[in-house]
Amino acid sequence: MRPRGDAPPTPLLTRRALGACLAAGTAAISLGHRAIAAPVGGSTMDPGLRDAALRGLAVVQYRGDPVGAAAARATALRLAETDPEGALLLRLYRKLDVLPSQSFRADMPPAAEADLRALHESIRDSRPVGFGYTDLSDQVSQRVVLPLVLVNPPQGVKLLAWCLKAEDYRQFFVRAMQGLIPQDGDFTAERMALLKGLADKEGV
């Protein structure tokens, strides 16, 4: 089965663009208790910019800037009302992404760029993916999963997904995937329920 054609390249995210995404949160602090942080997510925002803004919000509290951390908290509260999916993703990024004070292990091989691109597109489109997987015990299996989110712990990039074989949530190192191919299907209607279940399982 062949994957769909490549999506147009995501615009380059500059410091200015990311700053614009987070400016509303900072404004909430300067305006006092009456201010409401503008939503990070929205139908008009480029998905790549939205994801970068969410990941930035997730680590603001670790940067030694209490003003920025307060702005991030205000924005997170607003997200729960204006962008429920974004609020869930933010909670997952806070729990599972690598912190600024940490670093990725140099002895771990990187994930293939083509696989990462395919996963980002499949997550965006709520499209299943299939791949071979070699686990930490060198056992090889074939998986078809509903990809939900990519996270970045120190050991390397992981996909968090609903696995159709296990009928449960599973985590997969992207570097351990082989022959990743997007599949036919669309789980848009189930995505929010799956994200909520994942957030509950991870305790976030």
Side-chain angles (χ1 to χ4, degrees):
M1 184 179 300
R2 295 183 302 173
R4 291 182 291 184
D6 291 337
T10 301
L12 180 64
L13 179 63
T14 64
R15 290 183 180 180
R16 183 183 298 274
L18 181 56
C21 295
L22 302 178
T26 304
I29 301 303
S30 62
L31 292 176
H33 69 278
R34 294 182 301 167
I36 298 177
V40 172
S43 59
T44 60
M45 177 175 281
D46 178 89
L49 294 179
R50 173 176 176 261
D51 190 66
L54 289 171
R55 290 184 187 272
L57 281 173
V59 297
V60 166
Q61 60 185 313
Y62 302 106
R63 298 193 184 279
D65 181 356
V67 175
R73 287 193 296 271
T75 301
L77 290 174
R78 181 62 172 161
L79 272 178
E81 301 175 3
T82 60
D83 185 6
E85 178 182 310
L88 286 170
L89 290 172
L90 177 59
R91 287 159 56 191
L92 289 165
Y93 293 156
R94 279 177 170 169
K95 174 72 179 292
L96 298 170
D97 264 5
V98 64
L99 305 183
S101 60
Q102 296 176 316
S103 60
F104 295 106
R105 290 177 52 179
D107 60 330
M108 293 296 176
E113 183 176 348
D115 288 346
L116 288 171
R117 185 180 300 110
L119 288 171
H120 276 291
E121 292 174 356
S122 296
I123 290 170
R124 180 196 64 203
D125 297 338
S126 295
R127 187 178 183 187
V129 295
F131 52 86
Y133 190 74
T134 304
D135 65 20
L136 296 177
S137 300
D138 290 329
Q139 299 297 310
V140 179
S141 60
Q142 296 295 319
R143 305 291 181 125
V144 176
V145 306
L146 308 183
L148 298 173
V149 61
L150 290 166
V151 296
N152 300 270
Q155 298 87 351
V157 184
K158 278 184 177 181
L159 172 69
L160 278 58
W162 178 264
C163 178
L164 300 185
K165 179 179 180 179
E167 297 185 340
D168 200 355
Y169 296 102
R170 289 291 185 269
Q171 300 184 13
F172 302 95
F173 284 110
V174 177
R175 66 170 183 270
M177 297 177 179
Q178 304 92 36
L180 188 148
I181 300 177
Q183 308 290 302
D184 289 335
D186 183 345
F187 63 94
T188 301
E190 294 81 30
R191 178 171 167 78
M192 274 299 297
L194 289 168
L195 277 174
K196 288 179 180 177
L198 177 59
D200 289 343
K201 180 175 182 178
E202 295 295 336
V204 298

